[in-house]
Amino acid sequence: MKTAEVRKRYLDFFASKGHRIVPSASLVPTDDPTTLFTGSGMQPMVPYLLGEDHPLGSRIVDSQKCFRAEDIEEIGDNRHTTFFEMLGNWSLGDYFKEEQLSWLFEFLTDKEAGLGLDPERLYITVFHGDKNNDLPKDTESVEIWKSLFKQKNIEANEVEVGTEENGSEIGLEGGRIFYYDASKNWWSRGGTPDDMPVGEPGGPDSEVFYEFQDVEHDPAFGKKCHPNCDCGRFLEIGNSVFMQYVKKAEGHFEKLPKENVDFGGGLERLTAVTEDFSDIFKIDVLRSIIERLEDHSGERYENSENKNSFRVIADHIRGAVFMISDGVTPSNSERGYFVRRLIRRSIRHANLLGIETKKLKDLVSVVANNYREVYPEVFESQEWIQDEIESEESKFKLALDRGLKEFRKIIEKEDKISGKGAFKLFTTHGFPFELTEELAREYGKEVDKEAFEEEYRIHQEESRKGADKKFKGGLGDTGEMSVKYHTATHLLNAALRDVLGEHVEQKGSNITPERLRFDFSHSEKLTEEEKKEIETFVNGAIERSLPVSYSEMTLEEARAQGAVGVFEDKYEEKVRVYKIGDRSTGVVSLEICGGPHVENTGELGKFRIKKEEASSAGVRRIKAILE
Ligand code: SER
């Protein structure tokens, strides 16, 4: 089957079960500051899973565009892509396990309305339970799966696996249904029950795997093969999450008021298995890009030693086309940089295939045509997308030409390319480290990776200091979210001094519309309790809806009032002091700062610490978000 056929069958199938079809949301999440890109179908659905009424009812189905930035470096194997579509169906407090698993099985195996997969090739994983968090084993799903397989005359035996390591010890053992621990069969945005933050919903899940009979187990991935083995014999094609719990405290979960289902299945993978392709790049929407590359390069994908390069370009260009169409153009900004990397890596790999530059834009029309029916906006904006890609190609080519001169100079002088040399290529010529490494390899030389990383770290430190300076004078980006994070940063600073002590001083701050990052003097790792106290302090100030105001005064006056902030002589005569709270509510924060800030803390949302780590000696770093 072709991709469009699989997508259509899925949407039609669930529509016939009373689901309303919704269009894909943008790759750029609108109200979710937790991630840069939409990375799963459920992301736009979170408010409804938490109980908000969906305007279209309690049964929803869609195909959502997704981008997983963290996978960029991984592309090249037979099954990963950065961009993909996730087929999703949701029960928002409507049906539960029985209907979900039965419908899914019907969709996967039915020849008329579904994909017609051979049920013998399907393997199932389920949640083993988690004693520490008092979360039960999902025996219900197992019973349902057994009876579904039985209808196909397949006896489905269950196997207790537990951890992934254990899986490679025991292997398949003639089983069809496998119990794994929470690292494999629990789903929440924050990971396992232990990792997820308080207040986050989650639940046990049941995954379906497809077995490729032409792929032999590769012992490099573990002694024996099992569904969660990474050797390529099994491919995960769908995940039914039974979103029914919310974490109330560490080790304590309660049932959500409504039981939900969140199903997600990769469209490309589902398409691949309809053809029994263990290589996802053989499906129509990727294969057609590869064919165009074959024309340009004269090489054949199947026998190419550079198969990896064909895959990287096909994946990256498709990803870049969809990103640009959603308004993310190549740049050095947080999102734009990913598009830049997609294009620049593609150019490099095109060169490895012997394709001259300026051919990549030619692939845009292939992508646009593939998706003409479903995403007409891509088709309609293809000229603009081509221009963007072409202009990025030109920029990179210029950088490359200049950089190559520099590279040759370095390679003549140095036996092993030094960290400094590689770093200069990186900063002044935009050479990703891997490019320098690849080029060096062509000359039979190595690059000092450790030294490069050290240079990189020093550079980060410097830019952080630069960002601090900007911060002292005021906030650089005054968009709505950044301003909120700015005020939250003041609250965090106050909370740290309150919880950890007056020795805490701001050492750095960096704000984006997605998160805040704050460095401060303190020598020990924060305990869970301290983190919780800090969150409670900040959220308390938010819940009390405190007014935020400022007044201008001399540095001396600010000091006398007990304001925190950096007292530096380069400040002008008068400084601004921002105050959170007032006489009637009590003042929780007084800080010298250029602003701007929100008018009232009630606007901020919920504050959550995402990460706490060492930044340098005696300095800790917190990353936090507003939800
Ligand atoms: N949320 C689940 C996932 O992303 C299912 O949609 O895998």
Side-chain angles (χ1 to χ4, degrees):
M1 275 182 210
K2 291 196 170 173
T3 310
E5 176 72 19
V6 174
R7 188 194 298 105
K8 184 175 183 319
R9 283 186 180 226
Y10 177 76
L11 296 175
D12 288 350
F13 180 87
F14 279 91
S16 79
K17 310 283 182 204
H19 290 65
R20 295 288 295 271
I21 303 175
V22 299
S24 173
S26 166
L27 283 170
V28 181
T30 31
D31 288 321
D32 185 351
T34 58
T35 47
L36 281 181
F37 302 109
T38 303
S40 69
M42 66 84 78
Q43 242 165 274
M45 300 296 293
V46 172
Y48 310 111
L49 292 166
L50 285 169
E52 211 175 280
D53 282 338
H54 195 289
L56 294 178
S58 56
R59 295 183 182 192
I60 304 294
V61 63
D62 74 1
S63 181
Q64 170 65 45
K65 294 179 279 184
C66 296
F67 184 78
R68 295 210 171 150
E70 63 275 21
D71 284 345
I72 284 194
E73 306 284 341
E74 311 296 327
I75 306 306
D77 69 10
N78 63 344
R79 61 190 182 284
H80 283 97
T81 56
T82 52
F83 171 86
F84 61 99
E85 278 179 79
M86 196 182 267
L87 300 177
N89 64 270
W90 285 272
S91 155
L92 304 169
D94 190 321
Y95 58 86
F96 206 44
K97 294 182 182 176
E98 184 74 47
E99 294 89 334
Q100 170 58 24
L101 300 180
S102 311
W103 288 338
L104 176 60
F105 194 64
E106 185 185 341
F107 172 70
L108 293 174
T109 55
D110 191 85
K111 288 198 176 68
E112 300 303 316
L115 303 185
L117 301 179
D118 177 357
E120 292 277 2
R121 299 285 195 94
L122 304 181
Y123 288 75
I124 308 296
T125 65
V126 287
F127 182 50
H128 193 260
D130 177 351
K131 288 213 173 72
N132 292 342
N133 289 292
D134 208 12
L135 293 162
K137 190 169 173 175
D138 188 5
T139 51
E140 280 164 21
S141 293
V142 172
E143 290 314 313
I144 299 166
W145 280 121
K146 281 183 157 203
S147 82
L148 291 168
F149 277 102
K150 198 160 186 188
Q151 287 163 24
K152 306 272 177 195
N153 295 323
I154 298 172
E155 196 184 338
N157 295 323
E158 68 232 55
V159 180
E160 302 277 346
V161 182
T163 61
E164 194 173 352
E165 294 75 52
N166 201 30
S168 56
E169 280 302 314
I170 61 178
L172 287 173
E173 287 206 319
R176 187 158 298 271
I177 304 173
F178 297 79
Y179 280 111
Y180 284 90
D181 65 10
S183 69
K184 291 287 161 201
N185 284 91
W186 174 273
W187 208 91
S188 85
R189 285 186 301 174
T192 62
D194 286 338
D195 291 342
M196 59 194 277
V198 170
E200 182 72 18
D205 65 39
S206 179
E207 300 190 328
V208 180
F209 288 76
Y210 181 89
E211 183 196 21
F212 294 107
Q213 287 174 340
D214 61 340
V215 179
E216 281 196 25
H217 174 62
D218 178 351
F221 293 88
K223 209 154 93 191
K224 294 184 183 169
C225 198
H226 59 115
N228 272 307
C229 173
D230 280 332
C231 74
R233 176 170 162 201
F234 289 99
L235 181 70
E236 191 248 305
I237 54 171
N239 184 13
S240 302
V241 184
F242 303 113
M243 196 65 85
Q244 72 195 109
Y245 294 103
V246 57
K247 183 165 176 174
K248 283 290 185 186
E250 287 310 323
H252 178 60
F253 281 76
E254 279 178 15
K255 288 253 172 95
L256 282 167
K258 290 182 192 166
E259 291 178 324
N260 308 293
V261 174
D262 155 27
F263 171 80
L267 171 62
E268 290 78 355
R269 290 181 174 198
L270 284 161
T271 306
V273 298
T274 64
E275 301 285 340
D276 207 17
F277 288 154
S278 53
D279 176 0
I280 203 174
F281 289 89
K282 286 191 180 168
I283 67 169
D284 59 323
V285 288
L286 292 165
R287 176 74 214 170
S288 51
I289 309 175
I290 288 177
E291 275 165 14
R292 186 67 66 93
L293 288 170
E294 288 181 327
D295 292 347
H296 286 314
S297 68
E299 272 203 49
R300 293 289 131 222
Y301 172 70
E302 281 304 335
N303 344 323
S304 174
E305 282 180 8
N306 296 314
K307 217 169 190 172
N308 170 45
S309 293
F310 278 101
R311 289 172 173 172
V312 169
I313 304 168
D315 168 73
H316 284 16
I317 288 299
R318 187 175 67 137
V321 167
F322 275 94
M323 290 274 235
I324 297 171
S325 134
D326 272 347
V328 190
T329 50
S331 72
N332 276 339
S333 77
E334 228 166 352
R335 287 197 178 94
Y337 187 59
F338 284 101
V339 186
R340 171 155 283 172
R341 277 173 71 192
L342 292 175
I343 300 172
R344 293 191 172 193
R345 290 190 88 218
S346 302
I347 298 170
R348 254 316 276 167
H349 283 275
N351 292 346
L352 290 177
L353 290 178
I355 299 175
E356 54 182 284
T357 43
K358 300 281 165 134
K359 287 282 188 229
L360 290 181
K361 73 163 197 177
D362 182 42
L363 303 173
V364 175
S365 61
V366 182
V367 180
N369 274 306
N370 283 339
Y371 291 96
R372 188 172 184 165
E373 301 292 322
V374 211
Y375 300 110
E377 67 278 13
V378 176
F379 187 82
E380 277 147 26
S381 40
Q382 57 178 311
E383 268 178 38
W384 166 57
I385 298 172
Q386 279 181 356
D387 290 347
E388 286 289 342
I389 291 185
E390 189 172 21
S391 128
E392 184 60 20
E393 282 191 81
S394 308
K395 281 184 200 146
F396 188 49
K397 189 167 178 332
L398 262 182
L400 205 60
D401 290 347
R402 275 197 234 114
L404 280 175
K405 272 197 205 123
E406 179 75 34
F407 176 83
R408 277 188 212 108
K409 267 195 236 154
I410 296 174
I411 207 101
E412 273 164 28
K413 273 191 285 172
E414 298 177 3
D415 266 348
K416 180 172 181 175
I417 296 185
S418 66
K420 279 205 163 45
F423 193 69
K424 184 166 182 207
L425 289 169
F426 174 72
T427 44
T428 11
H429 303 292
F431 272 36
F433 179 77
E434 56 160 20
L435 170 58
T436 306
E437 228 177 10
E438 277 171 29
L439 288 170
R441 218 174 291 136
E442 286 166 22
Y443 284 79
K445 294 201 179 179
E446 276 180 41
V447 192
D448 191 338
K449 190 167 181 182
E450 258 173 49
F452 170 83
E453 279 167 359
E454 180 59 17
E455 290 292 328
Y456 188 78
R457 203 190 56 73
I458 296 168
H459 170 78
Q460 296 283 78
E461 194 73 10
E462 292 300 318
S463 27
R464 194 169 56 71
K465 286 189 195 140
D468 296 350
K469 290 209 184 82
K470 188 173 75 188
F471 185 77
K472 280 184 237 160
L475 184 64
D477 165 17
T478 55
E480 195 191 4
M481 272 320 289
S482 298
V483 173
K484 286 185 182 173
Y485 276 115
H486 193 189
T487 309
T489 302
H490 281 214
L491 288 175
L492 171 62
N493 196 355
L496 289 167
R497 290 168 69 85
D498 185 70
V499 175
L500 304 176
E502 298 285 314
H503 62 278
V504 168
E505 262 181 30
Q506 172 175 336
K507 290 290 172 198
S509 167
N510 172 283
I511 288 168
T512 73
E514 283 81 25
R515 56 123 183 88
L516 66 82
R517 197 180 74 201
F518 190 75
D519 291 6
F520 57 95
S521 48
H522 185 66
S523 43
E524 268 115 59
K525 184 174 170 54
L526 303 199
T527 64
E528 284 306 313
E529 254 158 53
E530 286 169 339
K531 280 194 264 180
K532 228 177 274 160
E533 269 183 63
I534 292 162
E535 284 177 344
T536 309
F537 181 104
V538 175
N539 285 320
I542 294 174
E543 274 155 31
R544 288 194 291 144
S545 297
L546 302 174
V548 183
S549 60
Y550 72 86
S551 40
E552 310 224 330
M553 58 187 82
T554 64
L555 266 182
E556 287 318 308
E557 287 166 334
R559 203 193 304 267
Q561 289 195 7
V564 297
V566 189
F567 292 88
E568 264 180 11
D569 46 23
K570 78 175 189 325
Y571 267 112
E572 297 134 10
E573 268 293 284
K574 293 244 174 169
V575 290
R576 230 177 229 201
V577 174
Y578 268 86
K579 181 161 80 178
I580 304 182
D582 58 21
R583 211 176 280 161
S584 66
T585 62
V587 174
V588 297
S589 155
L590 204 58
E591 191 166 333
I592 298 175
C593 167
H597 285 277
V598 299
E599 283 179 20
N600 189 293
T601 59
E603 296 166 39
L604 299 186
K606 191 156 186 269
F607 174 85
R608 179 152 71 83
I609 296 178
K610 285 277 280 186
K611 205 168 186 179
E612 191 274 335
E613 60 191 338
S615 162
S616 57
V619 178
R620 309 290 304 176
R621 166 172 291 181
I622 279 181
K623 284 189 190 154
I625 54 165
L626 291 170
E627 302 177 299

